[in-house]
Amino acid sequence: MKRLGICFGLGLALLAAGCVSENIEDTGSEELIKQLEEHEHVRGALNPFPLVTDPAYLTVSEVDNIREDAMVFICKVGEDVRIFPRSDMYVEVVNTELDGIPVAITYCPITRSGIAWNRLLGADTLLLTASGYLYKENLMPLDVHSGHIWSQMLMRRFTGDVGTGETFSFREMNTFPLIETSWLTVKDHFPDALVFRNAPGMKSAKDTPTDQQLGIIGKDEVQTFSPDLFPDEITLHKSTVQPGGSIVVAGSATYQYILAFRTKYMMEAVEGQFPIIMRDESGTLWNIFGEAVQGDHDGEVLKAPLYYTAADWAWRDLFDQVRHFEP
């Protein structure tokens, strides 16, 4: 493989893709790239995907070519609700803004992991694209401003200290909940949402029904939850993942989702009122975004633990300590 510096390699790749590189810095990363390409768990080459910075959206009613059982992601930030069909995520990374906050939706079609990144990192705003590398078959996003390359599922930046075992930095990123569900659920319950559609002529990712698991990432381990734990319309499970204390995990075979919230309240499942899914001991009703929509706690929003969905095997490959939840 060629040992390309970040500036030279990215400049050519983005130019060839018809994209504008915004002052990509010469970071002197040639040695870092060399170490990356020599890492036993990394394959690929520096070959950035097209940079998506101005994505096109349609309303739900304008979309008529998605199967009802196709899986999509819902991301809500503030009052903005956006839908990202898995079949339109061949680009793998979409830079956008939700409620004025810069966000990147990343999707790896191999590990089937979808994550919504807050692109604000300290004083910097990341601009991400797929780098062309895979770490343990998982997407490695590239920040074209700094030249840093990340592991998507680990959400850690590659440092190159292979000899010391410190291959990746500590986790720096913040994320937003990204709910995976079916297009039918979106059509029936979120008609006002905007739907990402990739550029005409771009290939679509395969959207094959698969065994997804939700993983909650704690300090020392990942706890996973499979769809069979959530039969029928709504099921709740309680868990504790450190740091952060008590967590309620909600899922549904009917609406095809699994999600999680931190909460100090005692929750019970609510049927027949979707997207309302829970009621606390005061009678307050809560929806799938963790928002109290009626009752004593009206206006409160539950915080989410760090979680996302991915293929069952990917959790075991990417993380050392994985424990499957048993009721």
Side-chain angles (χ1 to χ4, degrees), residues 101-253:
I101 298 175
V103 175
I105 307 299
T106 66
Y107 176 66
C108 176
I110 301 175
T111 57
R112 302 191 302 275
S113 49
I115 303 177
W117 304 47
N118 185 336
R119 291 194 287 126
L120 294 176
L121 183 60
D124 300 322
T125 301
L126 304 184
L127 185 60
L128 298 176
T129 190
S131 66
Y133 293 108
L134 296 172
Y135 174 70
K136 295 187 175 181
E137 301 304 307
N138 177 237
L139 165 68
M140 297 193 79
L142 162 73
D143 174 26
V144 302
H145 290 320
S146 67
H148 291 153
I149 295 177
W150 307 70
S151 161
Q152 183 223 22
M153 286 184 64
L154 296 179
M155 290 170 287
R156 298 176 186 267
R157 177 170 44 84
F158 183 80
T159 63
D161 297 328
V162 178
T164 67
E166 300 296 329
T167 308
F168 292 95
S169 68
F170 62 91
R171 189 171 294 116
E172 303 167 277
M173 300 303 305
N174 292 315
T175 65
F176 298 102
L178 194 62
I179 302 171
E180 189 172 17
T181 186
S182 69
W183 176 244
L184 178 60
T185 297
V186 167
K187 279 205 315 179
D188 287 349
H189 298 282
F190 304 100
D192 297 327
L194 294 179
V195 184
F196 166 69
R197 303 316 309 264
N198 65 18
M202 267 195 165
K203 291 175 64 178
S204 294
K206 292 181 179 179
D207 184 33
T208 306
T210 49
D211 293 328
Q212 292 288 89
Q213 291 189 348
L214 177 137
I216 301 177
I217 301 174
K219 181 180 179 181
D220 299 315
E221 68 175 10
V222 174
Q223 189 173 47
T224 58
F225 297 77
S226 55
D228 59 11
L229 293 168
F230 305 92
D232 305 319
E233 181 180 340
I234 173 72
T235 304
L236 302 184
H237 290 295
K238 297 177 183 177
S239 181
T240 301
V241 178
Q242 297 297 334
S246 298
I247 291 172
V248 59
V249 183
S252 169

Side-chain angles (χ1 to χ4, degrees), residues 71-73 84-89 107 180 205 207-208 210 212:
M71 299 306 290
V72 303
F73 295 107
F84 297 85
R86 285 202 331 198
S87 59
D88 279 73
M89 288 299 294
Y107 176 66
E180 189 172 17
D207 184 33
T208 306
T210 49
Q212 292 288 89

Side-chain angles (χ1 to χ4, degrees), residues 36 76 223 251 256 303:
L36 181 67
K76 183 176 186 187
Q223 189 173 47
Q256 293 185 266
K303 292 184 178 180

